[in-house]
């Protein structure tokens, strides 16, 4: 997840950053799936499973909120450019 975010920050536009934030959200989904798999193999216990899963869900929500924020900034930028 963090590599996608870092790569997005190196891009030139908000649109590209948003794209890589979506990749990060996808990676969060992959992590949740891996926790399900690890639980089924009994590599992690229920307590750890719920802790890890909840942490990744929180990160995913934060990424979603950041994406919404950036999209709103993009809209404001477009409106400001039209008014110039």
């Amino acid at each position: 997840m963090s590599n996608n975010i870092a790569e997005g920050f190196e891009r030139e536009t908000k649109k590209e950053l948003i794209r890589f934030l979506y990749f990060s959200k996808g990676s969060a989904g992959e992590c949740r799936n891996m926790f399900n798999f690890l639980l089924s193999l009994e590599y992690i216990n229920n307590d750890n499973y719920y802790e890890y899963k909840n942490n990744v869900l929180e990160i995913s929500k934060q990424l979603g909120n950041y994406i919404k924020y950036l999209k709103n900034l993009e809209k404001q930028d477009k409106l400001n450019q039209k008014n110039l």
Side-chain angles (χ1 to χ4, degrees), residues 6-8 18-19 25 35 40 45 47 54 65 79:
E7 187 170 355
I18 291 168
R19 181 172 170 240
K25 278 184 62 70
F35 294 142
S40 72
N45 62 37
D47 292 338
N54 288 335
N65 287 333
L79 287 173

Side-chain angles (χ1 to χ4, degrees), residues 3-77:
N3 286 339
N4 289 323
I5 296 168
E7 187 170 355
F9 273 113
E10 292 297 321
R11 299 299 174 137
E12 296 293 321
T13 64
K14 286 182 189 79
K15 186 175 182 175
E16 286 188 278
L17 172 57
I18 291 168
R19 181 172 170 240
F20 280 87
L21 291 171
Y22 276 118
F23 292 157
S24 294
K25 278 184 62 70
S27 295
E30 291 173 342
C31 286
R32 289 193 312 272
N33 183 60
M34 290 306 300
F35 294 142
N36 291 331
F37 182 66
L38 293 172
L39 181 66
S40 72
L41 294 176
E42 298 180 352
Y43 283 137
I44 59 175
N45 62 37
N46 280 342
D47 292 338
N48 288 345
Y49 167 77
Y50 289 109
E51 178 186 350
Y52 300 155
K53 184 178 174 184
N54 288 335
N55 286 340
V56 173
L57 282 171
E58 181 60 30
I59 291 167
S60 186
K61 288 177 190 178
Q62 290 174 0
L63 288 167
N65 287 333
Y66 189 37
I67 290 167
K68 287 178 191 176
Y69 170 77
L70 290 172
K71 284 184 170 186
N72 284 333
L73 283 181
E74 274 192 321
K75 288 178 188 177
Q76 289 174 359
D77 288 347

